[in-house]
Each structure stands twice: as C-alpha cells, then as structure tokens.
Amino acid sequence: MTQNPSGSLRAVVLGGGLAGTLAAAALAPYVAEVLVIERDSALPETATPRPRLPQAAHAHMLWSGGADAIEELLPGTTATWLEAGAHRIPIPNGMVSYSAAGWFRRWTETHYLIGASRDLIDWGVRTGLKAHPNVRVRAGVKIGGLVGDGSRVTGVRVLDEGREESVVDADLVVDATGRDSKAPEWLAEIGGPVVAETVVDAGVRYASRRYRAPEGAESNWPVIHIQADPREGRPGQVVSIISIEDGQWHVSLSGTRGGEPSADEQLFEEFARGVRHPLAADFLARAEPIGEVVVFGRTANRQRQFEKAAMPEGFVVLGDAATSLNPVYGHGMSAAALGALALRDTAAKIPVTAPKFAARAQKAIARPAAAAWLLAVGQDRFYPGAVGKAPNLADKLAARYVQRLNRAAIGNFLVVRALTDVMTMKKPAAILGSPDVLVAAARGLRRPLLDGPPLTEREQSVLDREPLRAEVNKTS
Ligand SMILES: Cc1cc2nc3c(=O)[nH]c(=O)nc-3n(C[C@H](O)[C@H](O)[C@H](O)COP(=O)(O)OP(=O)(O)OC[C@H]3O[C@@H](n4cnc5c(N)ncnc54)[C@H](O)[C@@H]3O)c2cc1C
C-alpha cells in the first residue's frame, strides 16, 4: 500500500467541482491529507464563473435532498448561501408548476430548494471546505492517467501547466472529473476492467439567460416551471424561471431533439411562449434581460456501472463522472451530494485502505445515482428520436403509473408529498409503491383540475403591469 512521506494516508480527488469538493469533505476526517487536483488554473475565491464549469451559465435547482446532504457534509453551508443572497424556496407552495396533468396546487411546505446561481452554490461549498485544514487544492493541473495495475490504483499521473509530467501517490483516488471523465480509458491503460455504459439521449439542448426581476419580485418568488409531456409525441419543451441572488431571475429553456431552443436573443421569449403554457413568457415580458443567451447541448443521460465491474482497489468514481443525467430533472448535484455522503459513511465504517473499501463505497454511491437515472430515462425514452434502448413493456407500465400519480397529485396531498419526496431526492422511488400511495393512485383525481395558474395577488399584480416589450406571437 502506498504511503505518503509522513507515513499517513492520502486521498487524491480528481476534479474540484461540486462532487470533488464534497468528496474531499467526506474523506477529510478519515485520512491525514486530501489533495484535490483541478484542471482550471484557479478555483475562484468569490461566486464567479470559471472556464471549466460551462453549465453554470444555466439555471440549477438544488433540491432539499441534495442541500441537506451538503449541509451534513459541510455544516453551515446553507447559511453561507443564504447570507450571500441565495433563496430558500419552499416546495410545493413555492412552485407554480404546469405538469403533463395540469397545474399543481400550492400545498403547504414539505420540502424546499435552494435558488442560487451554480457559481454561488459551488463557492458556498468551497467556503465550507475551509473548515478542513488537511485539504489542499492543486489547481492548473491536468490528470494524465492512473498509476497501478488491475488490482490496485496507487496514484495518478499529472501534467502541470508547463506540461511537465509527474506522479502523485495516493492510498485512495476519487475521480470526480465530471461528464468528460476519462476513467474508462484510464482503467484500460492499467489493465483494469471494461465498464458497462448505457446512454439514453433525448437530444436536449439548453438556452439560458439572466433577467433583472421586476420590482417587488426579487425575493419570496416562486419557481415558474412549465413542463413537457412525453405522451404528446412531439419534442419536449420546458421553461424554468428561478430566483437567484442579486435580484435576478435565471431562466432556462430546453427542448428535446427537433424542438431545441436557439442561441438567437430574438427567439428566446418566442420559445418560452411556444411551450405548453405561456405563463413564463408573460412574466419575462415584464422583466429586463441582463445577459447574453448561452446554449449547451451535451445533456445525454450516461450511466457507467463501475459498481458492477471488477474494479481495482483504491479507486472510486463519483458524480457526473459515473452517472451524468439529462439536467431537465435537476438531479445531478443532489445525486453527487448523496453519493459523497455515501462515501463518507463507508469511510466511517472501514478504513479507506481496507480490502473492498472501494467496492463498498462504489455500490453505495451508485444507489442515489441509479434512482435519479430511472427518473430521467423513464421519461426521456419516450421523446421522438431518443437514442438508446426503446421503452419496453415494464417502462411503459411504469410511465403510465407515474402519469396516474401526477394526475392524482393535482388533488391529493399524500400523493404530492410522496412525489416531492422522490423529486427532491429525500426518499427513494420505492415509496411510490407503498400501499397508501397505490390506493391514492387508484382513486385518481379527488379534486377538480385548476383552470389556470395558482398565483397570489402579488404575483398576479406583476402580470397586470404593462409589458416592457411587445409580447412576441401573443395570440390572446
Ligand atoms: C445545462 C445544465 C443544467 C443543469 N441543471 C442542474 C440542476 O438544475 N440541478 C442539478 O442538480 N444539476 C444540474 N445539472 C447537473 C450538474 O451541473 C452536474 O451534475 C454537476 O456539475 C456534477 O458535478 P461534478 O463535480 O461531478 O462535475 P463538474 O461540476 O463538471 O466538475 C468536474 C471538475 O473536474 C475538473 N476536471 C475535468 N477534467 C479534469 C482533468 N483531466 N484533470 C483535472 N481536473 C479535471 C473540471 O475542471 C471541473 O472542475 C445541470 C447540468 C447542465 C449541463
């Protein structure tokens, strides 16, 4: 087993994004040193963008399941976020959401989400990590590959900015290099296993822009969420408006293959008006755009089953590097946070150098990611042109049950709470099969559908203002 010069354990975390930062927090209590190796030349001291986090230009919902996991790993992070201007948005009452079944009622709070830019979320987590003095970050360094063989990883090869190669020894290596992780190639180079990979790609493209919230709508403002309906047989198009820091709204449009939003500023609000309901477009017409439209297209669901491969000891994969998800469902950060918590819990039970530590940790990490995977592909397989295995009978029955639940949820608090438990990653999807939920689903809709968005007087008063711009393609 590799020992660092001081003779104590060293964990090396590859990637200083959200999963990497949380992995460092998870391992810091159980090793002498954690070294985080990050390719970007620096991790900002403030909530500002950085080059290798392009997805930060798009609205990020951090559900309470993920936020609670982060708080457990790094106590005080929620307060750091809120003091810096993030919003704690109650769920379901803080959401005006148009699902495939209709408008959700705004039932009393059972869960929450954090409304903040991704840059602020990551900065808050990096700030919390400072409580661990044994964590060090080496930025401006690229991982070149693994060191070791098919039975144990003993370190990594790194390339600094001058492209000098060196080796960093490690007792445990955690890959958190995100969606573009080269872990399968790195494993192949040292004689490691072939890892099974599944891709389901609905061809989702994102276009996002920031707006200055209208006066009086800067805080205590609901998420406006117009969802797609996979049953319609047309591309799924979604709009979300989320309140973030500095009195801004972060607005993301997304569309599956054949219905993608464009980067053209002139077409941004037109797309928002063309989705299943124009409510978001009506709000945007009364807000001031303050940034460029930014697009992003690498959104395929990709699951790499490291937990099923004969992996070498000393190597674990976390976050998007293992499971990357279509972002529309907002589960990537929460799955990474719950995975990091699972890594910590494994390290609390057995030493990170114990035989099978990596295998046990990888299995535990895979559980929350697999739950999020099923939620995403359970919908994405139904969109036109989706790449990947076509839905089978079981997929179709599961999708029909979820549709029924969504409809029952319109009029049944018990069902709403169960669906929100799953959506916020607070509980596993298995609770949707519990007897009380099954009975409620069988009973169906117990209250009438709402005939319009459930807005408060304050929210409606914003819509009653004159639009700042002509409302493109308005038909009514
Ligand atoms: C458009 C979009 C919208 C999204 N919206 C949401 C949302 O609403 N809610 C949600 O929960 N999730 C959302 N996600 C998903 C979320 O962004 C990811 O799940 C999350 O970033 C995963 O974190 P990570 O640390 O695994 O990867 P990343 O955040 O991508 O971090 C990887 C890090 O590794 C570094 N790195 C990469 N290669 C190397 C290398 N060779 N050497 C050294 N360092 C390296 C990178 O520089 C980076 O810092 C969205 C994603 C996209 C694309």
Side-chain angles (χ1 to χ4, degrees):
M1 164 188 331
T2 314
Q3 295 280 305
N4 68 18
S6 70
S8 36
L9 297 178
R10 175 198 274 169
V12 172
V13 175
L14 317 182
L18 190 81
T21 311
L22 295 174
L27 294 170
Y30 304 103
V31 294
E33 182 195 5
V34 183
L35 176 63
V36 178
I37 298 180
E38 166 55 44
R39 193 171 174 182
D40 255 346
S41 57
L43 292 172
E45 283 297 321
T46 53
T48 43
R50 63 183 177 92
R52 291 187 194 277
L53 200 68
Q55 69 266 43
H58 303 274
H60 270 64
M61 286 196 248
L62 176 59
W63 299 108
S64 41
D68 288 350
I70 293 175
E71 184 65 27
E72 202 176 326
L73 285 162
L74 292 169
T77 303
T78 312
T80 305
W81 286 327
L82 298 183
E83 278 160 26
H87 305 283
R88 184 190 181 284
I89 301 174
I91 301 291
N93 46 331
M95 251 184 152
V96 178
S97 183
Y98 190 53
S99 79
W103 291 104
F104 276 120
R105 289 190 160 75
R106 295 172 71 176
W107 307 89
T108 185
E109 172 177 352
T110 50
H111 302 73
Y112 68 96
L113 64 82
I114 297 292
S117 69
R118 173 65 194 268
D119 293 322
L120 180 60
I121 291 171
D122 279 23
W123 165 81
V125 170
R126 285 197 299 275
T127 302
L129 190 63
K130 289 183 179 162
H132 292 286
N134 62 337
V135 177
R136 205 158 51 86
V137 178
R138 229 181 117 186
V141 180
K142 186 184 166 195
I143 306 302
L146 300 173
V147 178
D149 56 31
S151 62
R152 175 169 274 281
V153 168
T154 57
V156 285
R157 288 187 291 111
V158 299
L159 293 158
D160 65 20
E161 276 167 329
R163 304 207 58 78
E164 284 284 320
E165 185 169 303
S166 57
V167 167
V168 178
D169 291 337
D171 298 283
L172 177 69
V173 173
V174 180
D175 175 21
T177 54
R179 202 168 262 272
D180 295 328
S181 163
K182 300 273 181 294
E185 291 94 315
W186 295 338
L187 283 167
E189 282 162 14
I190 60 163
V194 173
V195 178
E197 180 174 304
T198 310
V199 174
V200 176
D201 185 3
V204 172
R205 179 171 150 120
Y206 261 65
S208 301
R209 194 172 201 188
R210 291 195 190 196
Y211 281 69
R212 187 168 312 293
E215 204 183 327
E218 299 89 350
S219 57
N220 296 323
W221 194 257
V223 171
I224 310 292
H225 191 41
I226 312 297
Q227 302 176 32
D229 182 353
R231 295 169 307 176
E232 285 180 343
R234 65 167 191 135
Q237 297 184 318
V238 175
V239 182
S240 321
I241 304 178
I242 303 171
S243 273
I244 61 167
E245 66 273 17
D246 300 331
Q248 294 179 12
W249 284 353
H250 209 163
V251 184
S252 281
L253 317 175
S254 67
T256 61
R257 194 163 280 117
E260 302 92 333
S262 94
D264 185 340
E265 285 180 8
Q266 308 303 322
L267 301 180
F268 194 81
E269 289 176 31
E270 188 176 321
F271 182 100
R273 191 163 293 286
V275 301
R276 291 176 50 249
H277 195 282
L279 180 70
D282 289 342
F283 278 118
L284 294 184
R286 287 153 181 87
E288 195 64 61
I290 51 174
E292 294 178 340
V293 175
V294 184
V295 293
F296 194 94
R298 286 181 310 110
T299 58
N301 299 285
R302 192 202 57 208
Q303 185 183 48
R304 289 171 168 168
Q305 292 186 303
F306 295 100
E307 72 282 5
K308 294 201 173 146
M311 292 282 282
E313 299 285 343
F315 184 58
V316 172
V317 187
L318 179 70
D320 277 19
T323 306
S324 37
L325 300 156
N326 173 359
V328 164
Y329 311 101
H331 285 143
M333 294 188 297
S334 293
L338 288 160
L341 202 56
L343 178 65
R344 186 200 66 179
D345 291 348
T346 312
K349 284 183 201 130
I350 52 172
V352 301
T353 48
K356 303 284 176 218
F357 171 84
R360 277 178 66 172
Q362 196 69 60
K363 278 202 170 60
I365 288 167
R367 262 176 233 123
W373 168 266
L374 287 177
L375 291 174
V377 303
Q379 303 247 348
D380 283 1
R381 287 199 165 116
F382 290 88
Y383 286 113
V387 173
K389 189 171 80 67
N392 58 22
L393 184 62
D395 297 327
K396 287 180 187 161
L397 290 173
R400 210 176 292 164
Y401 180 58
V402 170
Q403 281 155 19
R404 199 171 170 89
L405 279 177
N406 268 317
R407 193 168 160 78
I410 301 269
N412 187 316
F413 180 65
L414 185 145
V415 178
V416 160
R417 192 168 52 194
L419 279 174
T420 315
D421 274 335
V422 175
M423 181 56 73
T424 59
M425 297 197 75
K426 201 62 197 160
K427 292 190 183 164
I431 62 156
L432 299 180
S434 67
D436 49 353
V437 178
L438 283 167
V439 169
R443 282 189 176 158
L445 194 63
R446 306 286 286 174
R447 286 209 207 179
L449 291 172
L450 299 181
D451 55 12
L455 299 177
T456 64
E457 262 177 45
R458 181 171 73 104
E459 292 153 10
Q460 181 60 48
S461 74
V462 171
L463 287 186
D464 294 340
R465 296 177 199 166
E466 279 302 308
L468 301 177
R469 292 172 298 289
E471 291 168 279
V472 279
N473 290 346
K474 186 156 187 175
T475 49
S476 55

